[in-house]
Amino acid sequence: MTAAIDISAAALAAAARPLDGGPGDYDALMNLVGDARFVLLGEATHGTHEFYEERARITQRLIREKGFTAVAVEADWPDAYRVNRYVRGEGGDADANAALSGFERFPAWMWRNTDVVNFVDWLRAHNAGLAANSSADPKVGFYGLDLYSLFTSVREVLNYLDAVDPVGAEEARRRYACFDHYDEDSQHYGYATGVGLSESCQQGVLTQLQELQQRAFDYMQADGASNEDAFFYAQQNARLVKNAEEYYRTMFRGRVSSWNLRDSHMAETLDALTRHLSKDGAPAKIVVWAHNSHLGDARATYMGGLGEWNVGELARKAYPDQTCLIGFSTYDGHVTAASEWDGPAERKRVRPGMPGSYEELLHHVGLPRFYLNLRDEGPVRHILLERRLERAIGVLYLPRTERQSHYFNAQMAEQFDAIIHIDRTEALTPLDATSGWHSGEPPETYPEGI
């Protein structure tokens, strides 16, 4: 350890709040949140048990103590809405496992895992307690922000119209029939239209969304009891189809344009959800779960310099002084991830943080788990404003190309209002874990491990 790291780590250790699993762990974080309406909780990987577990603990306190009434996650809208029905005591699913069974697309384990089951069970019990006590507090919902569910969302729009407007449903089928040639393969559609092999479905999906919005009053009148929620669900599916069509059409043009489309969609969904849930002068308060790369302000990262924006940046701009961004970090351990797209979930060893990285610096603080406030002026903010490497592990983990695949330059104190570091972490447990996941990755041997 160099003298500079030693001095910085000592200053961070003096300010760090240890996390020992007790009820007061996040008192300082609750004070930081204050009256904020949006708390965005990140993750440095998509497959770490402790990140899910700690986000659940924080979210439970935000619901109980701060009146938050929605959890919006980096997941597809229709799959998450099935969970939303379950936690509200609606729908036909018998348990959380069944409610999560809509998550079939890779990586299903990102939401079909034991930590999410535990949290969904808690949400359902919390909402049942509100109903049993005749509480005036609204039930807490669970929603998806992402846009990968193009074909599922098409079916959901048609199901809704079949119930409220059969004639309109037939017209919608004609508009959406443009997708019929692609066997529900979104990437095939994107490639064929992106390189000019086929005409795009752009005009049809836009017209369908406009038609649905224009008929909003009639549809809500026709749909009876839960008309407003049902229309909102259908409308968001129609908007998702429009945005997903554009996303898949542009994904072969370059990373920046497709990334920005996706994060803009997630931010728009958050805005729509906020308007929908704000009732009788009471503004909605929403917790967001997504990867650090989506929730840490992009302006403080290398990606921001390339022209990318993300949900964290857009939320700060849309809701100034009402947004709190919380990042997560780990030094080493294990993670659930795949080695290739659509590959099986593996339990993979996370290599120690690289020299010169935030992970290395936070490791040298010397605490197994801790919280740091990055917002207040002082030594912590000054140290974490220095540009360093930061690691991001998504659904793939490629340790043999770790520097190129998983590190980028950032200023952590500008990205986040606070950071939670858990030095050694474990892989989350998929509900559908294969024997390969249980056996873990094979040991690296010469010469491949060099």
Side-chain angles (χ1 to χ4, degrees):
M1 181 164 59
T2 67
I5 289 180
D6 194 11
I7 293 169
S8 296
L12 297 179
R17 300 292 185 101
L19 303 172
D20 59 12
D25 265 358
Y26 293 111
D27 287 352
L29 176 54
M30 293 299 117
N31 289 335
L32 182 74
V33 168
D35 295 325
R37 294 173 50 206
F38 303 92
V39 176
L40 282 58
L41 300 174
E43 58 187 5
T45 85
H46 276 321
T48 294
H49 155 67
E50 287 84 356
F51 296 158
Y52 282 72
E53 183 179 54
E54 296 307 299
R55 288 191 303 193
R57 291 181 66 207
I58 294 166
T59 302
Q60 288 163 3
R61 287 196 63 175
L62 291 170
I63 290 168
R64 289 193 305 252
E65 301 171 27
K66 300 280 190 178
F68 280 69
T69 58
V71 183
V73 303
E74 186 185 337
D76 290 329
W77 176 257
D79 300 338
Y81 207 83
R82 180 170 175 176
V83 180
N84 179 56
R85 292 189 178 104
Y86 174 75
V87 300
R88 291 172 173 274
E90 303 166 1
D93 289 316
D95 55 27
N97 190 331
L100 290 161
S101 63
F103 290 100
E104 298 176 338
R105 183 186 59 78
F106 175 85
W109 45 262
M110 189 172 150
W111 298 108
R112 282 189 54 75
N113 63 67
T114 55
D115 290 297
V116 174
V117 164
N118 292 338
F119 180 65
V120 167
D121 280 337
W122 182 88
L123 274 181
R124 183 176 168 97
H126 171 82
N127 285 336
L130 294 177
N133 296 326
S134 300
S135 171
D137 294 333
K139 291 182 178 181
V140 179
F142 186 93
Y143 305 92
L145 298 176
D146 224 331
L147 53 44
Y148 290 120
S149 60
L150 191 158
F151 291 100
T152 304
S153 290
V154 164
R155 287 195 295 273
E156 292 300 292
V157 173
L158 295 175
N159 289 341
Y160 174 77
L161 290 172
D162 281 337
V164 300
D165 182 6
V167 174
E170 288 308 306
E171 185 59 37
R173 280 187 172 85
R174 284 191 287 274
R175 291 173 182 140
Y176 288 149
C178 175
F179 293 114
D180 290 349
H181 312 292
Y182 302 101
D183 297 322
E184 301 207 1
D185 185 337
S186 306
Q187 293 196 30
H188 179 203
Y189 167 77
Y191 178 78
T193 56
V195 300
L197 294 176
S198 300
E199 288 190 17
S200 82
C201 303
Q202 180 180 21
Q203 188 55 53
V205 298
L206 178 59
T207 301
Q208 184 54 49
L209 174 60
Q210 292 171 337
E211 174 79 11
L212 195 69
Q213 291 171 331
Q214 288 165 3
R215 299 289 307 280
F217 179 79
D218 294 338
Y219 288 159
M220 284 192 280
Q221 290 294 105
D223 195 33
S226 3
N227 45 20
E228 191 175 343
D229 281 346
F231 176 77
F232 178 68
Y233 174 64
Q235 181 185 37
Q236 294 311 304
N237 275 306
R239 189 177 61 81
L240 188 154
V241 172
K242 179 189 79 71
N243 288 346
E245 184 277 329
E246 184 178 6
Y247 172 81
Y248 285 112
R249 191 161 33 82
T250 60
M251 67 183 298
F252 293 95
R253 298 180 191 170
R255 171 187 161 89
V256 172
S257 58
S258 58
W259 175 278
N260 286 353
L261 275 169
R262 184 180 171 209
D263 273 54
S264 292
H265 172 84
M266 289 198 279
E268 288 170 14
T269 305
L270 182 61
D271 291 341
L273 195 57
T274 300
R275 292 191 298 271
H276 179 68
L277 296 177
S278 296
K279 307 286 187 183
D280 304 320
K285 303 180 78 172
I286 302 174
V287 187
V288 178
W289 290 14
H291 198 280
N292 282 353
S293 56
H294 293 294
L295 301 189
D297 194 321
R299 292 170 292 185
T301 70
Y302 168 76
M303 290 82 79
L306 297 177
E308 290 184 3
W309 56 71
N310 65 6
V311 176
E313 175 186 345
L314 296 173
R316 274 182 169 173
K317 289 177 175 177
Y319 306 101
D321 303 321
Q322 299 180 66
T323 302
C324 193
L325 311 183
I326 313 299
F328 281 76
S329 170
T330 186
Y331 179 69
D332 67 5
H334 290 87
V335 67
T336 294
S339 295
E340 60 185 358
W341 192 260
D342 275 337
E346 302 171 53
R347 182 176 177 269
K348 309 183 78 158
R349 182 173 63 86
V350 177
R351 291 183 170 181
M354 290 185 67
S357 68
Y358 281 115
E359 289 75 17
E360 180 198 40
L361 175 59
L362 296 173
H363 169 66
H364 285 303
V365 168
L367 296 170
R369 301 180 178 213
F370 60 90
Y371 159 89
L372 282 170
N373 177 340
L374 311 185
R375 184 188 290 170
D376 295 345
E377 292 298 333
V380 170
R381 181 168 173 79
H382 177 75
I383 292 166
L384 297 183
L385 277 174
E386 181 182 342
R387 191 170 288 274
R388 294 176 181 268
L389 293 175
E390 185 179 314
R391 180 162 58 193
I393 298 173
V395 295
L396 307 184
Y397 182 42
L398 308 172
R400 291 174 183 171
T401 57
E402 179 121 359
R403 172 63 181 89
Q404 296 85 355
S405 299
H406 299 292
Y407 279 90
F408 59 96
N409 283 294
Q411 292 175 283
M412 185 173 277
E414 290 290 344
Q415 272 181 288
F416 303 109
D417 296 299
I419 190 78
I420 293 166
H421 181 77
I422 302 172
D423 206 53
R424 173 159 291 174
T425 50
E426 277 306 317
L428 59 76
T429 304
L431 295 180
D432 313 302
T434 63
S435 58
W437 184 90
H438 287 292
S439 61
E441 63 184 338
E444 291 186 343
T445 56
Y446 181 88
E448 290 84 358
I450 298 296

